[in-house]
Amino acid sequence: MHTTPPNPQSDQEARIRQHGDALLQAAEAFEPHNPVSHWLQSLLSRLHQNPDFRIRALRFVDLLPALQEDAEVVRLFDEYFSDAQEFPLPRLGRLAIRSGRLLGPHQLAAAIRKAIGLLSRQFMAGREPTTIRETLSGLQRQGRLVSLDLLGELTLSHREADDYLNGYLQLLDVLSVQPDQSLQLSLKPSSLLPRLLPERVTANTEVMVKRLRPLLLKARRQGVAVTLDMEDSERRPVILALFEWLLFDPEFRDWDGLGIALQAYLRQGGEDLEQLIELAGRRQTPFAIRLVRGAYWDQEVVKAQQNGWPIPVWQQQAETDRHYEACLQRLLAAAPGVYPAIASHNLRSLALGMAEVERLGLATEQFEFQMLYGMSTSYQQALVKLGYRLRTYLPFGEPIPGMAYLVRRLLENASSQSMTRWQVTNEDAASCFAPPKVETRLPAERPEAGFQNTPLRSWLKPDECQAFQHAIDQVRGQLGHHYPLLIDGEWRDTAACIESFNPADRAQLVGTTACASQEDADRAIRAAEAAFPSWRERPAESRAELLRKSADLLAQRRDEFAAWQILEAGKGWREADADVCEAIDFLRFYADEAERLAAGASVKLPGEHNRYFYQPRGVGVVIPPWNFPLAIVTGMLSATLVTGNCAILKPASDTPVIAARLVDLMQQAGFPAGVMNFLPGPGEVVGDYLVRHPAVHLIAFTGSLAVGQGILRLAAEPRPGQRHIKRVVAELGGKNAIIVDQSADPDEAIDGILKSAFGFQGQKCSACSRVILVGDQYAHFSRRLCEAAESLIMADPTDSACDIGPVINAAAESRIQQAIEQGRQAGRLLYRMESRGFESGHYVGPTLFGEVDPNSPLAQEEIFGPVLALLPAQDLDQALALANSTRYALTGGIYSRSPANLERAAREFRVGNLYLNRGITGALVNRQPFGGFAMSGIGSKAGGRDYLLQFMEPRCVTENTLRRGVAPLSEAP
Ligand code: NAD
């Protein structure tokens, strides 16, 4: 007899279809009767069809709860939408809008608020305990289980983290809970602690466990389960580590109420699942795994692309679907060792889950389905009707953090990469149960042409953190060495020496360098002069190659160079890593730029040939500051060299060791003798002498206004024998402001201000030292900002958990302390972090002053430390006037969600680098060419396309090619 062999694949497909049809049929009885749904449908379809509207609508929804005044609501509604009809509203709302136009802003604002309120109630339970209880019991009456999620996003301070946990503790008090595990809490780990960072896994985990313990114990006593939500991939390592700790904590080890969410859109989701299953095997007590697709797809892709990191998520929807199915099968097969929660709105995933549990013979109580409140309601009820456990994820709480959740839900329902579909009943059943079809040919990724920034460390891989820690340990073993001068290719020593100490531990000698005298300076100048003619004649490509070789060497030793910065300059891990990346970028970018400029330009006319090209200037002196001890040195030095000048580098006396190591590395790349000379010595002695010297043509200086002005004065005066005017490139200080208007996202603003003001202890020329708060938010905003500053961690910068390290030296410490003392006359001291326990280093804690007199030194002068002045402003006019009121014009920023205000700031906030809705430090080579004007400097922007021009002199050669009335053929008219 001839039989067809069984085909497991098609059998499974048939079972999926069968269960899917049963689900569709059961759902028919539960068509949504919600009156909101009609206009919501039209809103969602407009969101889906019109990407431009989608962006504007989501931004407006996100912004609304932050607006206090009705007039602001109406103004911004008008800014976002061309007319009131563009944003679909419920019928009553539309009427109110029409009459509101006649009646005034209050009615109109009320109508808009009502519409967004309806929208949020569709997906969230509100904040009042009675409402939450009603919604909860309504769902329980329908036979649904519930997971309660207290709305909260990024926490900025310990107080906010405490509030979040207290919210749950109070909820447990309020709800009378049956000890049947029917209720679950979903926790967002990022709400438990500010700054969850992958390189701080251990430190973060310890604090979070301590914070969570009382809540977990109480939940356990009340029979309430607790699941950790998974958030973006930057937090994933900490969340996984926290969960593992809790699983094996003696107090929770035998509790089956713990759970964790797992994201299938992550390429690593499958590995995470295997790891969790392995943990369950070791633990012996099961825990819940909620398998979701993931809700941060856009953010993951954008962040990875911006940073040059591998994209952590699957790029095709079908790939995510396929991965979800594979994970689902693996997860169900691991039951009852784990408790699977199939969290999906995708019909095929639900049907696959139903088919698999049947095939595996799992009992109803050995798994559950999960869906979000307000979405696919009829399918939720249908699953209950079919006898499955169904848990509804129900968010509750304040509207502001709720908006971020709402935006994610709307995005999920509307975006082209949508993981779910609204109202799947309308879809063709066959296509919605078809297996995911992965396109084999992905749209070809554009090969990136030209210069690319060096990706910063993501710290996402544990071995990245270990390697970095190892580099710090290695460098610790190399402290105390001596570094000589380099003149004419020879390392030479001097009788005197410069000692460099670790600012975090003043007793620790990082190293010593030679200390040049004026005779050494003369020798270096002679060597540079002698090397100049042949270096000048070298083709630009050959000089550029030496820069690229140096970049490669530096890239190979990036962690080591970062570690030196931590120990010699007191930079934190991320700051030190970024500094090395910037140095590599300068080398590669200026190499490209030198080649571009070497091509020159020619203009040909009949009988006339014009050649435009550049020549180097001669001997260049490079005088960098200590605060970017590698990047700025590398940038100014490489620009001098690649354009054909010979250089004498006089490093900053606080960071000469890093400079010496850089020079050594660049020597290894093969710079000829005399081209690059290294001359550490006191600025006032050697620096001053070099600046005056008649044989010097070019001075590249970055530093303070006072020293810069002195250099400009000295350089302007010709000395006997000098036959040229010196060129000075001077990048100076700043007194940079961030404006926060009333429409700003306060969380983002506070986060950005903290990083900009206190990153590297405020010792950046780009640092924020003034915050200008528009309107009546002043009291509330400044309180939150102070609380957030209070949560920063002062530590030794070798510790990855350090937010606040030391300032550079004793003089800086006392200068900043003095500025703080004087600041008391100019404003109200709002907060000052004590530095007790850190006396072995030069520590000054973040300090904030409120209501600062805008004309006081506190608001006008650069302090170059972690001191922030807060200034109130009535409106944007006054804010811009304040922002522009100092003699500096380096960086600035504005946080606003008003397109009109952003546009106005772009025009009227006059600084070299203006940032909209982000922090104001961390400019990247080529992407944000950096530098200011007014008293902030007289150079073209570093890392920009005009920079190298300053190191060269342009020439034009014109030839008459007409001889005896005959011109070359190519020039014939
Ligand atoms: P600084 O002016 O004290 O020193 C800068 C360099 O000049 C050092 O190498 C120093 O040894 C040298 N120097 C000092 N006196 C000299 C003299 N008389 N002649 C020649 N050289 C002399 O500045 P710093 O404390 O090293 O750096 C902090 C300052 O740099 C801040 O004002 C900051 O805003 C500014 N800065 C500006 C930028 C920018 O791009 N605009 C970048 C970083 C730092």
Side-chain angles (χ1 to χ4, degrees):
M1 203 174 68
H2 194 73
T3 55
T4 331
N7 180 346
Q9 192 66 32
S10 67
D11 284 357
Q12 192 201 33
E13 289 303 319
R15 281 200 311 275
I16 291 173
R17 184 64 202 260
Q18 197 186 347
H19 283 283
D21 285 343
L23 181 62
L24 283 180
Q25 210 179 1
E28 274 171 20
F30 301 105
E31 279 310 298
H33 296 297
N34 188 338
V36 176
S37 62
H38 180 70
W39 75 267
L40 187 55
Q41 288 280 343
S42 69
L43 173 62
L44 288 170
S45 70
R46 191 166 296 176
L47 289 172
H48 183 59
Q49 284 157 10
N50 184 340
D52 170 56
F53 172 76
R54 178 161 71 230
I55 297 291
R56 283 181 291 126
L58 294 179
R59 285 181 173 182
F60 184 74
V61 166
D62 184 39
L63 149 74
L64 187 68
L67 300 178
Q68 305 293 325
E69 292 167 22
D70 290 345
E72 280 282 283
V73 173
V74 175
R75 188 174 70 78
L76 282 150
F77 191 78
D78 285 345
E79 278 187 35
Y80 275 77
F81 306 109
S82 49
D83 67 80
Q85 311 301 325
E86 198 192 354
F87 191 96
L89 289 168
R91 213 163 69 83
L92 277 175
R94 281 201 306 275
L95 286 175
I97 285 268
R98 262 180 236 135
S99 51
R101 286 272 174 240
L102 301 173
L103 296 173
H106 297 302
Q107 285 78 4
L108 192 50
I112 295 165
R113 286 207 175 95
K114 190 171 161 57
I116 307 296
L118 279 173
L119 193 57
S120 63
R121 270 201 293 290
Q122 180 75 22
F123 298 103
M124 303 180 240
R127 64 182 150 193
E128 300 308 326
T130 42
T131 331
I132 302 165
R133 235 187 334 231
E134 269 168 33
T135 316
L136 180 61
S137 41
L139 293 171
Q140 286 173 334
R141 270 198 304 280
Q142 288 174 7
R144 300 200 233 171
L145 308 173
V146 175
S147 188
L148 277 168
D149 162 48
L150 175 53
L151 289 163
E153 300 288 322
L154 265 194
T155 271
L156 294 165
S157 66
H158 293 308
R159 195 199 43 83
E160 288 177 11
D162 289 342
D163 286 353
Y164 179 76
L165 279 170
N166 286 335
Y168 274 115
L169 287 167
Q170 283 160 11
L171 183 80
L172 288 179
D173 287 338
V174 168
L175 300 172
S176 59
V177 177
Q178 303 300 318
D180 61 357
Q181 298 264 332
S182 74
L183 194 64
Q184 182 187 77
L185 305 181
S186 287
L187 300 183
K188 290 229 159 12
S190 66
S191 300
L192 296 171
L193 187 68
R195 292 177 309 286
L196 288 194
L197 297 172
E199 72 274 27
R200 300 185 180 182
V201 166
T202 316
N204 284 172
T205 308
E206 280 170 20
V207 183
M208 283 200 289
V209 170
K210 208 159 136 215
R211 282 241 157 102
L212 266 180
R213 193 175 297 281
L215 175 64
L216 294 184
L217 288 173
K218 190 173 167 104
R220 185 176 186 180
R221 272 199 305 278
Q222 291 190 216
V224 175
V226 174
T227 288
L228 297 186
D229 276 344
M230 190 54 77
E231 302 180 74
D232 59 0
S233 58
E234 196 176 21
R235 279 166 251 292
R236 183 181 140 276
V238 183
I239 297 174
L240 288 174
L242 169 66
F243 189 64
E244 184 171 346
W245 183 313
L246 294 175
L247 286 182
F248 293 97
D249 186 290
E251 281 187 286
F252 309 116
R253 194 182 169 130
D254 59 348
W255 182 32
D256 62 357
L258 283 172
I260 187 163
L262 185 100
Q263 295 164 325
Y265 70 179
L266 287 181
R267 288 167 184 271
Q268 254 179 321
E271 280 171 45
D272 289 349
L273 178 58
E274 288 306 331
Q275 199 190 329
L276 288 170
I277 292 171
E278 190 267 323
L279 290 178
R282 269 201 280 142
R283 188 184 188 232
Q284 296 291 305
T285 309
F287 54 81
I289 298 179
R290 174 197 296 156
L291 182 65
V292 300
R293 277 179 168 71
Y296 303 80
W297 191 90
D298 290 20
Q299 183 181 324
E300 295 288 4
V301 173
V302 168
K303 202 164 171 194
Q305 285 174 334
Q306 277 188 357
N307 286 292
W309 297 333
I311 294 176
V313 290
W314 299 103
Q315 271 153 292
Q316 287 182 52
Q317 172 73 58
E319 288 176 304
T320 296
D321 290 343
R322 193 170 63 179
H323 195 224
Y324 186 91
E325 294 195 357
C327 290
L328 178 57
Q329 285 169 317
R330 179 70 184 99
L331 175 63
L332 292 172
V338 294
Y339 177 76
I342 308 164
S344 177
H345 291 253
N346 177 302
L347 266 189
R348 180 178 157 90
S349 300
L350 298 175
L352 172 65
M354 292 157 79
E356 276 297 285
V357 294
E358 184 185 59
R359 188 180 66 78
L360 294 162
L362 294 186
T364 324
E365 62 284 358
Q366 285 177 325
F367 70 97
E368 67 183 39
F369 289 97
Q370 287 191 12
M371 290 196 218
L372 302 172
Y373 179 70
M375 286 172 63
S376 317
T377 310
S378 51
Y379 296 100
Q380 302 202 26
Q381 288 167 293
L383 283 169
V384 176
K385 186 175 160 195
L386 292 173
Y388 294 102
R389 278 184 164 199
L390 180 277
R391 189 180 298 276
T392 298
Y393 185 92
L394 176 65
F396 69 99
E398 296 293 328
I400 290 186
M403 285 304 129
Y405 175 84
L406 178 59
V407 165
R408 280 202 294 277
R409 294 294 73 84
L410 292 175
L411 251 183
E412 221 165 48
N413 279 289
S415 85
S416 49
Q417 277 284 344
S418 164
M419 311 293 173
T420 62
R421 294 272 164 70
W422 191 259
Q423 287 306 305
V424 266
T425 35
N426 297 337
E427 284 189 34
D428 170 28
S431 80
C432 89
F433 291 119
K437 211 163 137 220
V438 176
E439 301 270 335
T440 39
R441 250 191 40 216
L442 268 178
E445 273 191 20
R446 250 185 323 124
E448 305 286 357
F451 171 79
Q452 297 294 317
N453 294 100
T454 309
L456 301 175
R457 287 249 177 267
S458 71
W459 313 104
L460 289 174
K461 296 199 199 100
D463 54 0
E464 232 178 357
C465 301
Q466 281 154 15
F468 199 81
Q469 183 61 58
H470 180 68
I472 296 174
D473 297 340
Q474 293 277 97
V475 166
R476 266 209 197 95
Q478 297 170 36
L479 299 182
H481 289 191
H482 181 73
Y483 303 84
L485 311 175
L486 178 73
I487 295 176
D488 206 11
E490 276 181 37
W491 295 99
R492 306 169 177 211
D493 217 347
T494 55
C497 80
I498 299 175
E499 293 180 316
S500 174
F501 290 95
N502 180 349
D505 177 1
R506 55 183 104 203
Q508 188 171 56
L509 185 69
V510 174
T512 55
T513 65
C515 182
S517 61
Q518 292 182 355
E519 291 71 47
D520 295 316
D522 281 329
R523 266 200 290 276
I525 288 174
R526 280 199 300 276
E529 276 184 306
F532 180 61
S534 63
W535 181 241
R536 174 175 59 190
E537 297 313 318
R538 267 232 196 175
E541 293 74 20
S542 156
R543 294 195 295 254
E545 259 333 288
L546 294 179
L547 260 60
R548 293 198 181 97
K549 215 163 158 193
S550 306
D552 292 345
L553 290 172
L554 195 49
Q556 283 161 20
R557 293 167 57 188
R558 61 183 281 179
D559 288 348
E560 175 202 323
F561 270 85
W564 280 104
Q565 299 203 44
I566 292 172
L567 288 156
E568 194 178 30
K571 289 208 170 195
W573 281 34
R574 283 183 181 239
E575 302 281 355
D577 176 60
D579 198 279
V580 184
C581 290
E582 193 180 355
I584 298 168
D585 284 355
F586 276 134
L587 288 163
R588 295 202 171 127
F589 182 71
Y590 291 152
D592 291 357
E593 282 295 289
E595 286 175 351
R596 177 178 71 83
L597 292 170
S602 65
V603 179
K604 284 185 185 171
L605 279 88
E608 181 181 303
H609 187 186
N610 302 290
R611 273 179 292 153
Y612 186 78
F613 59 96
Y614 302 95
Q615 68 174 17
R617 290 178 177 271
V619 175
V621 174
V622 175
I623 308 180
W626 52 266
N627 69 331
F628 285 89
L630 188 68
I632 294 186
V633 181
T634 310
M636 295 200 300
L637 180 62
S638 60
T640 306
L641 294 171
V642 80
T643 43
N645 304 288
C646 291
I648 299 169
L649 167 64
K650 192 221 75 67
S653 300
D654 285 301
T655 50
V657 170
I658 295 165
R661 299 187 71 89
L662 171 74
V663 169
D664 180 45
L665 176 140
M666 287 177 68
Q667 276 296 99
Q668 288 170 31
F671 283 89
V675 167
M676 176 177 59
N677 303 280
F678 176 59
L679 215 61
E684 313 77 46
V685 182
V686 188
D688 194 282
Y689 183 76
L690 289 168
V691 170
R692 288 170 197 265
H693 204 287
V696 166
H697 297 79
L698 162 76
I699 297 140
F701 170 80
T702 302
S704 62
L705 173 59
V707 175
Q709 277 179 316
I711 288 178
L712 280 163
R713 242 189 329 263
L714 285 182
E717 202 181 312
R719 311 280 152 183
Q722 183 178 331
R723 297 192 304 159
H724 56 271
I725 293 171
K726 291 176 190 169
R727 176 66 184 247
V728 180
V729 177
E731 307 285 341
L732 310 173
K735 185 70 188 172
N736 314 303
I738 292 182
I739 297 176
V740 183
D741 81 5
Q742 284 157 298
S743 70
D745 179 330
D747 293 359
E748 281 193 8
I750 290 173
D751 191 42
I753 291 169
L754 281 191
K755 286 185 184 133
S756 308
F758 304 128
F760 192 34
Q761 297 71 262
Q763 302 173 107
K764 298 182 191 178
C765 52
S766 54
C768 167
S769 55
R770 297 180 295 152
V771 170
I772 302 169
L773 296 168
V774 181
D776 54 9
Q777 57 173 327
Y778 186 84
H780 183 63
F781 191 96
S782 50
R783 184 178 59 78
R784 282 192 74 202
L785 182 61
C786 288
E787 285 168 0
E790 212 174 324
S791 77
L792 296 170
I793 297 167
M794 186 178 274
D796 188 296
T798 52
D799 180 347
S800 62
C802 167
D803 294 312
I804 302 292
V807 298
I808 191 68
N809 56 28
E813 184 185 344
S814 66
R815 184 178 40 74
I816 300 166
Q817 299 286 19
Q818 212 179 337
I820 292 173
E821 286 316 311
Q822 284 166 2
R824 289 173 193 270
Q825 277 119 53
R828 202 158 60 82
L829 181 66
L830 298 178
Y831 173 68
R832 181 178 185 179
M833 185 185 280
E834 292 299 327
S835 52
R836 261 193 298 277
F838 290 92
E839 288 76 13
S840 58
H842 307 292
Y843 281 80
V844 184
T847 306
L848 289 96
F849 286 96
E851 292 133 55
V852 171
D853 171 2
N855 299 315
S856 63
L858 184 59
Q860 292 287 328
E861 299 304 328
E862 187 182 48
I863 296 172
F864 220 59
V867 183
L868 188 58
L870 271 55
L871 298 97
Q874 272 162 9
D875 49 28
L876 188 61
D877 290 340
Q878 197 191 1
L880 286 168
L882 284 171
N884 289 326
S885 72
T886 75
R887 55 189 176 149
Y888 294 103
L890 190 51
T891 66
I894 177 168
Y895 280 90
S896 169
R897 286 180 283 188
S898 154
N901 286 2
L902 291 174
E903 219 17 71
R904 195 168 157 210
R907 277 194 317 271
E908 297 177 29
F909 192 160
R910 294 179 203 285
V911 286
N913 287 69
L914 181 72
Y915 299 91
L916 313 181
N917 287 320
R918 51 154 280 180
I920 64 172
T921 56
L924 293 174
V925 170
N926 186 40
R927 264 157 73 177
Q928 293 102 23
F930 182 78
F933 48 89
M935 289 291 192
S936 289
I938 48 157
S940 298
K941 286 169 173 296
R945 286 170 70 89
D946 301 331
Y947 189 72
L948 291 189
L949 295 176
Q950 309 171 104
F951 294 77
M952 300 185 287
E953 289 159 328
R955 287 172 58 193
C956 181
V957 175
T958 299
E959 182 181 356
N960 170 12
T961 54
L962 194 65
R963 304 246 173 100
R964 301 249 173 247
V966 180
L969 270 183
S970 60
E971 291 169 15

